[in-house]
Amino acid sequence: MATHFLGDTAVLTGRTMRHVTRSLDTIITTVITPIAMMLMFVYVFGGAIDTGPIQYVDFLLPGILLITIASGIAYTAFRLFTDMRSGIFERFQSMPIARSGVLWAHVLTSLVANMISLVVVVGVAVLIGFRSGAGPLAWLGVAGILLLFTLALTWIAVIPGLSATSIEGASAFSYPLIFLPFLSSAFVPTETMPGPVRWFAENQPVTSIVNTIRDLFAGQPVGDDIWTALAWCVGVLVVAYVFAMVTYRRKIS
Amino acid sequence: MAAGTSEPKRGLRQYVEIVTGPIEDKRRWWQYKARMKRLPVNYRTAVDALQRYLLIFGPADGGSVTSMFEDLADLFEQSAANGTSVRAIVGDDPVEFVEMFLRNYPELDRQGAGTVGQGHRSCRGSRIVTKERVDIQMRVDQARGSAIRVQGLEKSYKELQVLRGVDFDVARGSVFALLGSNGAGKTTVVKILSTLLKADAGTAAVNGFDVATQAADVRESISLTGQFAAVDEILSGRENLVLVARLRHLENPGAIADDLLDRFSLTDAGARKVSTYSGGMRRRLDIAMSLIGNPSVIFLDEPTAGLDPEARIEVWETVKGLAGRGTTVLLTTQYLEEAEQLADRIAILHQGRIIVNGTLVELKQLLPPAKVEYVEKQPSLEDVFFAVVGDAGKDRTT
């Protein structure tokens, strides 16, 4: 069984990737909200926000990227939910294949689809003036953190994807995740926030991830933030994976 | 010479070519396995038993093994020439056939006895060694006995007891209908048999494999066509078939897909997205996907639910075709008419138990004797439908 795992997962990933490439509107709707938000903040609110010496678009982009991922994984849940409801998930589970390959195919597709969305958003940011002095290593670091964040959120998305009873239920979980960057250092420096809000903003995962990416983009040395960011990502990943597996086991037995 | 009789001959010729090579060669073994699947069951069992015998005892003298299989090939060729069937040669008992065959090759048997040696009791003369006999017997049971055996199956969802001790057997190559109203537990039975759900109590075996402990072997033997056509809407019909063929690790998935598209009259629609298909076309594609890899047992869960009368008859024809090919079919349905049309045996599932199990004739005997009444026959909606559609169709074509 294990010998087929890679082959089966590749075949199934090819299938879900076709779902992405044949409904490019999902990529467009994934990126349209973050891009609109970026334009609004840069051209409307940004002027009123004091980010010190750095350009506002440079300040803003890391948060926008996280929002892109949060809205992108809603489609992961949606695709998985559709498979569950149409019965094709059961068809695969009743076939002589590596069963977990079905889930992994969705996870890998989620990673690829989100990377495409991120590239589009970064492209638009460059068009409106985003510049980075980051070297290849720093870019690699940014890509790595974003990939890890996507993976963690994807496993969160698997849970409603497997267990939801309606399409709305399958994708609603992503709203709080999209909202989370607003309560962080993504749009405004946390120093301007009142006490309890500031405390929350400074201690939630998004802030450390945003700060790390921002430092990497600026070509500055990253502080302890990167360890906090990685710890959050890995922590969320492990917890989400465990819960996703529990949900999965419950579904197939 | 009938076309059917040349088939096993060709299979055997290829088989003889393969077997003369080194038997340890895994790839050859799998090639052989793949070909075996296309042969009639009792013939397959006999040759398979011989092959297993050789695998266990090993061909010390390649020459005798080759000549043995060449003899076998000649035997089948002769029968093809005489127009006799494979069954006529192999008979009803493949074990007997293998024994009879080995009697002509005492050197193989002696060699076998020598190899197995101390641990096993070898039989005198040309009898097969005990262990091997048990082994072959087991495979024969698998080939001849029940394709599905369900005993005391129980399942509850929280408080709700869906199955309260379900027992039934499905003979190999037969069509078995599980009849019951909505919520009777038909789908639950199918899910347990297709390893998607675990039973709370009782045992179930498919193709001789236990669904709980040998789930992977069960999945190797079955194909599930669920209650809703489980097809990928975004892919084309052909891509759906290729996908399943690749997941079943078959060679030439493209050719398999084209062949099935042709068999199910979907060639023209093959390149189209499935989301543009009609309900009947989806169901046909769904069943076509289930046939890939020639599983010996197929589960059809309410195959005609939600189909219009025309599509329903299409599906019925398909199922009848399956039965003709020797595939075991377990189908669930809410309609007695459907069970009547398709099934060799019908079991009625009611409140979590099988309350009746028998052939249609047996079931009808349970009914009170027929009374003669005169009733004005109104055309049913279906009669109207066929009257209108059938005529309109003829007008256009003639």
Side-chain angles (χ1 to χ4, degrees):
Chain A
M1 207 49 111
T3 49
H4 291 315
F5 177 75
L6 292 180
D8 291 346
T9 307
V11 171
L12 289 164
T13 308
R15 163 183 173 261
T16 32
M17 273 313 295
R18 274 189 195 166
H19 286 214
V20 175
T21 53
R22 285 188 193 171
S23 48
L24 278 177
D25 51 318
T26 58
I27 295 270
I28 294 166
T29 45
T30 303
V31 298
I32 204 107
T33 317
I35 288 175
M37 239 182 248
M38 181 163 66
L39 295 176
M40 201 160 72
F41 271 89
V42 169
Y43 293 116
V44 184
F45 305 120
I49 301 170
D50 180 17
T51 54
I54 44 173
Q55 252 199 114
Y56 190 64
V57 63
D58 295 354
F59 182 85
L60 182 72
L61 187 62
I64 293 292
L65 294 179
L66 298 193
I67 290 179
T68 310
I69 295 171
S71 65
I73 52 144
Y75 280 101
T76 306
F78 169 76
R79 283 189 293 266
L80 189 53
F81 173 75
T82 316
D83 273 9
M84 294 293 294
R85 202 184 43 177
S86 73
I88 204 154
F89 190 86
E90 288 190 339
R91 157 163 261 148
F92 291 144
Q93 297 294 313
S94 71
M95 284 175 60
I97 60 168
R99 278 179 147 191
S100 57
V102 183
L103 269 195
W104 276 105
H106 277 283
V107 170
L108 292 177
T109 303
S110 173
L111 293 183
V112 176
N114 275 296
M115 288 305 124
I116 297 171
S117 304
L118 290 172
V119 168
V120 173
V121 173
V122 171
V124 173
V126 169
L127 285 181
I128 64 168
F130 168 75
R131 294 293 176 267
S132 163
L137 212 62
W139 273 103
L140 215 60
V142 170
I145 289 175
L146 291 175
L147 206 62
L148 192 61
F149 187 68
T150 313
L151 189 63
L153 292 200
T154 295
W155 280 108
I156 295 183
V158 166
I159 301 167
L162 285 171
S163 57
T165 50
S166 68
I167 289 186
E168 291 79 13
S171 49
F173 78 98
S174 68
Y175 300 141
L177 295 177
I178 294 173
F179 193 67
L180 215 51
F182 288 96
L183 286 173
S184 78
S185 65
F187 293 94
V188 290
T190 50
E191 293 83 53
T192 58
M193 298 174 186
V197 181
R198 182 176 172 182
W199 181 87
F200 177 79
E202 284 178 353
N203 291 289
Q204 64 125 319
V206 171
T207 297
S208 60
I209 298 169
V210 162
N211 290 348
T212 307
I213 297 176
R214 198 178 279 150
D215 287 344
L216 286 169
F217 273 150
Q220 282 170 2
V222 286
D224 287 342
D225 269 337
I226 191 165
W227 301 115
T228 321
L230 288 177
W232 271 113
C233 285
V234 172
V236 170
L237 175 61
V238 168
V239 173
Y241 180 79
V242 168
F243 275 96
M245 277 300 149
V246 169
T247 317
Y248 174 69
R249 293 268 141 73
R250 202 173 293 151
K251 277 283 158 185
I252 61 160
S253 63
Chain B
M1 194 197 305
T5 50
S6 60
E7 169 85 349
K9 187 180 71 175
R10 197 192 61 203
L12 196 78
R13 265 287 164 230
Q14 287 167 339
Y15 178 68
V16 169
E17 282 161 25
I18 288 165
V19 103
T20 50
I23 263 171
E24 305 78 54
D25 188 339
K26 274 273 166 64
R27 209 166 59 91
R28 277 165 172 273
W29 168 241
W30 286 115
Q31 278 174 352
Y32 149 73
K33 272 287 192 199
R35 290 210 179 96
M36 285 289 266
K37 285 193 173 165
R38 295 194 215 109
L39 302 175
V41 172
N42 58 342
Y43 166 74
R44 197 196 301 164
T45 317
V47 178
D48 206 20
L50 278 173
Q51 173 70 6
R52 286 176 64 79
Y53 181 89
L54 294 173
L55 268 186
I56 291 173
F57 299 128
D61 170 9
S64 65
V65 174
T66 308
S67 62
M68 169 174 151
F69 277 91
E70 270 169 2
D71 275 12
L72 195 60
D74 286 346
L75 203 61
F76 281 91
E77 261 157 42
Q78 273 169 27
S79 89
N82 301 337
T84 48
S85 73
V86 170
R87 182 174 282 275
I89 304 172
V90 178
D92 285 330
D93 189 350
V95 169
E96 231 170 66
F97 173 76
V98 172
E99 279 190 2
M100 180 206 78
F101 203 83
L102 286 175
R103 231 167 277 150
N104 296 323
Y105 295 89
E107 75 277 11
L108 266 181
D109 214 29
R110 273 199 304 278
Q111 176 201 326
T115 316
V116 173
Q118 301 81 12
H120 302 274
R121 188 176 65 85
S122 66
C123 295
R124 297 208 180 279
S126 56
R127 303 293 295 179
I128 299 174
V129 179
T130 311
K131 179 189 171 292
E132 176 60 356
R133 189 184 161 81
V134 169
D135 207 29
I136 294 176
Q137 191 66 55
M138 237 170 67
R139 294 190 60 79
V140 172
D141 282 349
Q142 256 177 29
R144 266 196 321 208
S146 308
I148 303 170
R149 172 161 289 179
V150 175
Q151 282 168 329
L153 214 57
E154 286 177 32
K155 178 77 190 175
S156 305
Y157 296 106
K158 293 192 178 111
E159 302 292 275
L160 184 68
Q161 217 183 345
V162 184
L163 305 180
R164 304 155 185 261
V166 171
D167 305 278
F168 64 87
D169 268 28
V170 180
R172 199 160 287 272
S174 68
V175 178
F176 186 87
L178 206 52
L179 187 68
S181 54
N182 249 337
K186 304 186 296 287
T187 301
T188 306
V189 172
V190 169
K191 282 193 174 176
I192 291 172
L193 290 176
S194 52
T195 75
L196 294 173
L197 208 61
K198 285 195 173 64
D200 298 336
T203 58
V206 177
N207 205 18
F209 301 114
D210 187 273
V211 292
T213 56
Q214 297 168 296
D217 293 313
V218 171
R219 289 198 282 271
E220 203 74 60
S221 318
I222 63 159
S223 211
L224 168 69
T225 306
Q227 217 170 76
F228 309 101
V231 293
D232 190 317
E233 303 231 324
I234 292 169
L235 302 185
S236 71
R238 190 173 184 276
E239 285 170 334
N240 266 287
L241 294 165
V242 169
L243 172 73
V244 174
R246 289 177 66 188
L247 286 175
R248 285 196 177 261
H249 315 113
L250 301 174
E251 281 169 33
N252 285 330
I256 293 171
D258 289 332
D259 174 49
L260 281 166
L261 286 173
D262 183 48
R263 259 175 66 196
F264 285 83
S265 326
L266 289 166
T267 305
D268 294 337
R272 256 172 38 214
K273 256 192 186 186
V274 172
S275 52
T276 65
Y277 283 22
S278 70
M281 287 163 79
R282 270 170 211 230
R283 246 318 170 196
R284 259 159 37 214
L285 177 65
D286 191 24
I287 295 175
M289 283 162 78
S290 289
L291 298 189
I292 296 174
N294 288 327
S296 54
V297 179
I298 292 188
F299 300 113
L300 297 170
D301 196 7
E302 302 207 5
T304 59
L307 292 187
D308 60 39
E310 224 171 345
R312 197 173 72 205
I313 288 170
E314 272 174 27
V315 170
W316 284 358
E317 292 307 319
T318 310
V319 176
K320 284 175 189 167
L322 288 182
R325 290 157 41 98
T327 311
T328 309
V329 179
L330 180 125
L331 81 112
T332 74
T333 181
Q334 296 189 38
Y335 310 109
L336 181 61
E337 194 203 348
E338 186 160 290
E340 271 189 63
Q341 282 279 338
L342 301 174
D344 301 316
R345 279 187 91 81
I346 301 170
I348 299 177
L349 185 63
H350 183 67
Q351 294 185 337
R353 282 195 186 88
I354 302 279
I355 51 168
V356 182
N357 181 346
T359 62
L360 183 63
V361 179
E362 288 167 357
L363 253 60
K364 283 198 166 154
Q365 279 167 355
L366 295 173
L367 296 172
K371 274 188 294 184
V372 180
E373 278 183 52
Y374 295 94
V375 184
E376 191 181 83
K377 187 177 182 294
Q378 294 282 348
S380 71
L381 205 54
E382 205 171 312
D383 295 333
V384 174
F385 180 86
F386 280 118
V388 176
V389 174
D391 287 352
K394 262 178 213 148
D395 281 350
R396 258 183 274 120
T397 49
T398 53

